[in-house]
Tab-separated table of all heavy atoms in Angstrom:
chain	number	residue	atom	x	y	z
X	525	PHE	N	-1.045	-49.033	-39.494
X	525	PHE	CA	0.352	-48.752	-39.865
X	525	PHE	C	0.470	-48.514	-41.373
X	525	PHE	O	-0.093	-49.287	-42.183
X	525	PHE	CB	1.250	-49.936	-39.464
X	525	PHE	CG	1.292	-50.167	-37.977
X	525	PHE	CD1	0.958	-51.408	-37.445
X	525	PHE	CD2	1.678	-49.163	-37.106
X	525	PHE	CE1	1.001	-51.636	-36.078
X	525	PHE	CE2	1.737	-49.383	-35.733
X	525	PHE	CZ	1.385	-50.626	-35.209
X	526	PRO	N	1.201	-47.496	-41.766
X	526	PRO	CA	1.199	-47.093	-43.185
X	526	PRO	C	1.794	-48.107	-44.143
X	526	PRO	O	1.268	-48.273	-45.252
X	526	PRO	CB	2.008	-45.794	-43.190
X	526	PRO	CG	2.786	-45.802	-41.932
X	526	PRO	CD	1.994	-46.546	-40.937
X	527	GLN	N	2.865	-48.789	-43.743
X	527	GLN	CA	3.539	-49.673	-44.688
X	527	GLN	C	2.787	-50.967	-44.931
X	527	GLN	O	3.134	-51.727	-45.830
X	527	GLN	CB	4.977	-49.945	-44.249
X	527	GLN	CG	5.112	-51.002	-43.156
X	527	GLN	CD	4.927	-50.456	-41.751
X	527	GLN	OE1	4.487	-49.320	-41.611
X	527	GLN	NE2	5.272	-51.229	-40.736
X	528	GLN	N	1.709	-51.222	-44.148
X	528	GLN	CA	1.001	-52.502	-44.258
X	528	GLN	C	-0.198	-52.464	-45.200
X	528	GLN	O	-0.885	-53.483	-45.377
X	528	GLN	CB	0.562	-52.963	-42.863
X	528	GLN	CG	1.700	-53.274	-41.918
X	528	GLN	CD	1.228	-53.731	-40.548
X	528	GLN	OE1	0.024	-53.796	-40.268
X	528	GLN	NE2	2.155	-54.055	-39.657
X	529	ILE	N	-0.465	-51.333	-45.795
X	529	ILE	CA	-1.685	-51.181	-46.582
X	529	ILE	C	-1.770	-52.200	-47.726
X	529	ILE	O	-2.857	-52.648	-48.088
X	529	ILE	CB	-1.817	-49.733	-47.117
X	529	ILE	CG1	-3.185	-49.508	-47.798
X	529	ILE	CG2	-0.681	-49.396	-48.071
X	529	ILE	CD1	-4.360	-49.630	-46.877
X	530	GLY	N	-0.641	-52.593	-48.278
X	530	GLY	CA	-0.641	-53.506	-49.426
X	530	GLY	C	-1.320	-54.819	-49.154
X	530	GLY	O	-2.024	-55.361	-50.016
X	531	TYR	N	-1.119	-55.391	-47.959
X	531	TYR	CA	-1.769	-56.662	-47.663
X	531	TYR	C	-2.962	-56.525	-46.743
X	531	TYR	O	-3.722	-57.465	-46.554
X	531	TYR	CB	-0.773	-57.694	-47.113
X	531	TYR	CG	-0.133	-57.371	-45.791
X	531	TYR	CD1	-0.719	-57.785	-44.596
X	531	TYR	CD2	1.085	-56.687	-45.713
X	531	TYR	CE1	-0.121	-57.509	-43.363
X	531	TYR	CE2	1.685	-56.420	-44.487
X	531	TYR	CZ	1.069	-56.832	-43.321
X	531	TYR	OH	1.670	-56.565	-42.111
X	532	ARG	N	-3.168	-55.338	-46.159
X	532	ARG	CA	-4.358	-55.132	-45.329
X	532	ARG	C	-5.562	-54.732	-46.170
X	532	ARG	O	-6.692	-55.128	-45.853
X	532	ARG	CB	-4.084	-54.026	-44.295
X	532	ARG	CG	-2.946	-54.295	-43.313
X	532	ARG	CD	-3.224	-55.496	-42.430
X	532	ARG	NE	-2.279	-55.557	-41.327
X	532	ARG	CZ	-2.198	-56.563	-40.461
X	532	ARG	NH1	-3.020	-57.596	-40.576
X	532	ARG	NH2	-1.322	-56.527	-39.453
X	533	TRP	N	-5.340	-53.957	-47.228
X	533	TRP	CA	-6.488	-53.451	-47.995
X	533	TRP	C	-7.297	-54.561	-48.652
X	533	TRP	O	-8.534	-54.517	-48.625
X	533	TRP	CB	-6.020	-52.422	-49.025
X	533	TRP	CG	-7.168	-51.820	-49.771
X	533	TRP	CD1	-7.469	-51.941	-51.088
X	533	TRP	CD2	-8.206	-51.000	-49.223
X	533	TRP	NE1	-8.613	-51.255	-51.396
X	533	TRP	CE2	-9.077	-50.666	-50.268
X	533	TRP	CE3	-8.477	-50.506	-47.932
X	533	TRP	CZ2	-10.232	-49.885	-50.070
X	533	TRP	CZ3	-9.602	-49.736	-47.735
X	533	TRP	CH2	-10.447	-49.421	-48.799
X	534	PRO	N	-6.682	-55.591	-49.251
X	534	PRO	CA	-7.515	-56.676	-49.801
X	534	PRO	C	-8.404	-57.331	-48.747
X	534	PRO	O	-9.537	-57.748	-49.054
X	534	PRO	CB	-6.476	-57.668	-50.349
X	534	PRO	CG	-5.300	-56.795	-50.670
X	534	PRO	CD	-5.261	-55.777	-49.590
X	535	LEU	N	-7.920	-57.412	-47.516
X	535	LEU	CA	-8.753	-57.966	-46.431
X	535	LEU	C	-9.952	-57.058	-46.177
X	535	LEU	O	-11.098	-57.548	-46.034
X	535	LEU	CB	-7.915	-58.107	-45.154
X	535	LEU	CG	-8.659	-58.592	-43.916
X	535	LEU	CD1	-9.071	-60.057	-44.084
X	535	LEU	CD2	-7.785	-58.427	-42.672
X	536	VAL	N	-9.720	-55.763	-46.119
X	536	VAL	CA	-10.812	-54.799	-45.908
X	536	VAL	C	-11.857	-54.937	-47.011
X	536	VAL	O	-13.062	-54.949	-46.764
X	536	VAL	CB	-10.266	-53.363	-45.839
X	536	VAL	CG1	-11.411	-52.358	-45.813
X	536	VAL	CG2	-9.379	-53.185	-44.624
Side-chain angles (χ1 to χ4, degrees):
F525 297 124
Q527 79 275 12
Q528 295 180 359
I529 187 64
Y531 64 90
R532 299 297 192 185
W533 184 246
L535 177 69
V536 172

